[in-house]
Amino acid sequence: MKKLINKVEDVVKEQMEGLVLAHPQLNLCTEPYYVWRETAGDKVALVSGGGSGHEPMHAGFIGEGMLTAACPGQVFSSPTPDQMYECGKTVKSDKGVLLIIKNYTGDVLNFESAVELLHFDDIPVGSITIDDDVAVKDSLYTAGRRGVGATVLIEKLLGAAAERGDDLAAIEALGRALNNRSRSFGIALDACVVPAAGKPSFDLADGEMEFGVGIHGEPGIERRPYTDVQSVVADMLKELLANTGYTRTVRSWNREDGSWIEEQSTVEDFAAGDELIVLVNGMGATPESELFGAYRETHKGLEAAGFKVARSLVGNYCTSLNMEGFSITLLKADADTLALWDAPVAAPSLRWGK
């Protein structure tokens, strides 16, 4: 399998170096690895990250109105606690640092360790965990639902909230609320190739798709025949709109006494008349023209079900290397959410209003 790389062990290093060379407003630390931007230090700093291979998420979203920094792990591997810890110390502000975590076991353990380390350095810190994938409850990398495309939308919205001056507690609460108003579902027509493996991560027969695939190629609900985009979008929307009553335990950091608080949290129901932000997201190898075809079916299907598509985003934002396929993310929006969405953003891979 041919890949545009040199040595497998240098993939992440060289790609991060290329990103910073192309966008000199970003800075790269190599011991340990993280990417960040300079700020005035008067707003909450937002730090995200995770395994590489999902670009442009997350480093492509560092910029005014979005992230302050990102910590890349190796391909499909969690970053280590020292990455988030050192990164948090670098970008800290008097208003605090919020770590944004996707719900994968390694990510949760390592980011939460960094929360504790930052707290004991007297840095105000909090975290939110995103678990928007309605396809499966547990998978190869998670306990509970996976964190996928809603991460992009939530990073944009929280970035706007930080930019307008919201405090750490408010942004943390907003992140949890947005997560409970988000849901995603993905399919794959062909597998990705992890550079270290050099071969597809799974095999699909001609005319077959993985229905409910994860962003690391994890299995979904089932393998089923693929017919056309109209049919597959209709099936995806059925799964998305039928998602009700999911409750799980969420953890938050108590900044007063330095301990984790556990409480039950339930996703919000969707109903006809709701306004939605809709992301049709490519998995890496799907042509943009096909994504717009998928968006057409998504838009029409949502309107037929009585929803209003208030805002939309179409493209490759939360990928799985060169996987062929796409995902749909729906986020229920109110007036404040839409105002945050419309606020200017200036990141390498997301930009408007500037």
Side-chain angles (χ1 to χ4, degrees), residues 88-280:
K89 290 196 297 181
T90 296
V91 302
K92 68 181 180 182
S93 78
D94 291 340
K95 297 195 74 171
V97 178
L98 181 72
L99 303 189
I100 302 171
I101 313 168
K102 299 188 303 302
N103 189 38
Y104 298 95
T105 302
D107 286 29
V108 171
L109 290 171
N110 292 344
F111 272 81
E112 287 189 351
S113 294
V115 168
E116 296 170 8
L117 292 168
L118 291 167
H119 173 85
F120 295 121
D121 275 359
D122 296 321
I123 297 172
V125 63
S127 69
I128 63 162
T129 300
I130 298 171
D131 60 349
D132 55 304
D133 189 347
V134 306
V136 294
K137 182 180 178 184
D138 299 295
S139 70
L140 297 177
Y141 294 84
T142 64
R145 290 179 171 176
R146 305 175 289 216
V148 288
T151 311
V152 178
L153 306 186
I154 293 171
E155 288 176 353
K156 163 63 182 87
L157 295 164
L158 297 187
E163 198 62 37
R164 74 181 177 187
D166 289 15
D167 64 22
L168 178 57
I171 295 174
E172 205 171 16
L174 176 62
R176 293 198 181 93
L178 292 170
N179 183 54
N180 278 339
R181 303 206 307 259
S182 301
R183 50 188 72 173
S184 299
F185 195 95
I187 66 102
L189 303 180
D190 204 357
C192 64
V193 177
V194 177
K199 60 181 181 180
S201 55
F202 57 86
D203 294 311
L204 288 172
D206 289 344
E208 188 177 46
M209 67 175 171
E210 186 72 46
F211 189 71
V213 74
I215 57 173
H216 309 92
E218 311 98 306
I221 296 173
E222 64 181 358
R223 292 188 177 180
R224 60 172 64 173
Y226 175 78
T227 53
D228 54 54
V229 68
Q230 183 180 49
S231 300
V232 72
V233 168
D235 288 343
M236 293 168 76
L237 289 179
K238 286 179 185 176
E239 298 290 337
L240 286 162
L241 298 179
N243 174 54
T244 58
Y246 176 64
T247 300
R248 72 286 198 214
T249 300
V250 299
R251 285 160 59 90
S252 60
W253 183 248
N254 184 331
R255 286 181 286 278
E256 296 299 320
D257 64 10
S259 64
W260 290 100
I261 302 169
E262 295 189 350
E263 57 188 356
Q264 296 291 292
S265 182
T266 303
V267 300
E268 291 189 22
D269 290 343
F270 284 17
D274 287 342
E275 292 191 298
L276 302 175
I277 298 174
V278 179
L279 168 63
V280 169

Side-chain angles (χ1 to χ4, degrees), residues 16 19-20 23 26 34-36 48-49 55-63 67 69-72 155 347-349:
M16 288 300 101
L19 173 71
V20 172
H23 299 279
L26 302 181
Y34 57 89
V35 183
W36 87 100
S48 191
E55 288 72 24
M57 192 175 74
H58 297 275
F61 301 137
I62 300 171
L67 296 178
C71 303
E155 288 176 353
S349 298

